[in-house]
Amino acid sequence: RVGSTFFPSQPWVRSPHRRRARRAMAALKVLVPIAEDSEEIETACITDTLVRAGAAVTVASVSGDLQVKMSRGLKIVADCKIEDCADKEWDAIACPGGMPGAERLRDSKALEELLRKQASASKVTAAVCASPAVIFGSHGLLPGRAVCYPAPKFVEILGEKHVADAPVVLDGHIITGTGPGTSLQFALKIVEKLYGQEKAEELAKAMLTTTAEEGATPRRRSSDGPD
């Protein structure tokens, strides 16, 4: 009889297109390491902006304890210790600055290994304020062009690689920024690298700010650096 043909049930097969779509929908993973005396404005801008973009952000302490006292006394509770992040893959690693927080991040062997692995895989590796000079400079991770907090002792480390009067510089997979006042633009540059310029501009508009290309250049100052 028409319409009565019986088709035996077939085992359900997962489509490879469906698998790829699900992987594409998975949140990108961003690691933000912090130490005692890391800069809290930069830390907050990085984490908040990347969460708004849709990333899964993990804040990891290099200080042994999950609760970390930042450079101005704000206490942040990290998600985990840096050692817990060693065997994981990250779409981006972004280091806040602050002194001596940047030095403490530099001295973490677990973080150094993560940064070297990240950079060797040409995946987003970012640092702001003192950290481009103190961390990237110490570990040989500086790209051909970079910025940092515009204090002479940091600019000297960058040498000929230093780009004057730029708030943020993207060179390949390396992103560097200047300091607290430009840390939103720094974070938006990470968003642009991970999600595209349109997403970065969309977030900038919603946050009542601008991307680095639209923003003003930072003022120079002659102090010894961020404390």
Side-chain angles (χ1 to χ4, degrees):
R1 190 174 59 183
V2 176
S4 63
T5 304
F6 173 71
F7 293 94
S9 61
Q10 297 291 328
W12 184 75
V13 178
R14 185 186 294 273
S15 163
H17 300 292
R18 186 187 296 269
R19 287 199 297 269
R20 285 195 292 269
R22 288 194 175 188
R23 283 198 296 268
M25 292 171 60
L28 298 180
K29 296 190 294 184
V30 177
L31 176 63
V32 181
I34 59 172
E36 294 285 323
D37 296 306
S38 288
E39 217 293 321
E40 46 264 76
I41 292 175
E42 294 159 5
T43 302
C45 286
I46 296 166
T47 55
D48 181 281
T49 304
L50 269 295
V51 168
R52 288 172 187 258
V57 178
T58 297
V59 177
S61 167
V62 308
S63 301
D65 296 322
L66 292 182
Q67 182 171 286
V68 178
K69 186 177 180 181
M70 309 297 276
S71 63
R72 300 301 183 276
L74 181 70
K75 294 177 182 177
I76 291 181
V77 178
D79 298 302
C80 62
K81 297 178 182 180
I82 194 67
E83 291 77 11
D84 301 324
C85 304
D87 59 348
K88 299 178 181 178
E89 295 292 327
W90 302 96
D91 296 291
I93 300 178
C95 300
M99 287 290 282
E103 293 175 332
R104 293 183 171 128
L105 292 177
R106 175 199 64 196
D107 295 339
S108 167
K109 292 301 180 184
L111 177 58
E112 179 182 348
E113 290 176 8
L114 277 163
L115 289 170
R116 290 188 184 280
K117 177 182 177 183
Q118 188 81 0
S120 66
S122 298
K123 299 171 76 174
V124 176
T125 314
V128 64
C129 195
S131 288
V134 174
I135 301 174
F136 287 4
S138 297
H139 298 331
L141 299 176
L142 283 172
R145 301 167 60 253
V147 292
C148 61
Y149 190 85
K153 64 180 180 181
F154 300 133
V155 173
E156 198 173 294
I157 293 172
L158 268 58
E160 294 181 355
K161 298 178 179 181
H162 181 250
V163 179
D165 298 322
V168 180
V169 168
L170 167 65
D171 191 336
H173 62 279
I174 304 286
I175 300 172
T176 52
T178 48
T182 60
S183 50
L184 275 178
Q185 282 67 46
F186 170 73
L188 286 166
K189 182 59 70 174
I190 300 173
V191 172
E192 179 183 323
K193 185 67 174 175
L194 292 177
Y195 295 95
Q197 184 175 351
E198 184 177 344
K199 184 65 175 179
E201 291 176 351
E202 173 192 322
L203 282 181
K205 183 177 180 181
M207 297 165 72
L208 305 182
T209 188
T210 61
T211 60
E213 287 75 15
E214 300 169 294
T217 56
R219 292 182 179 179
R220 286 183 169 274
R221 52 178 288 183
S222 57
S223 72
D224 289 335
D227 55 14

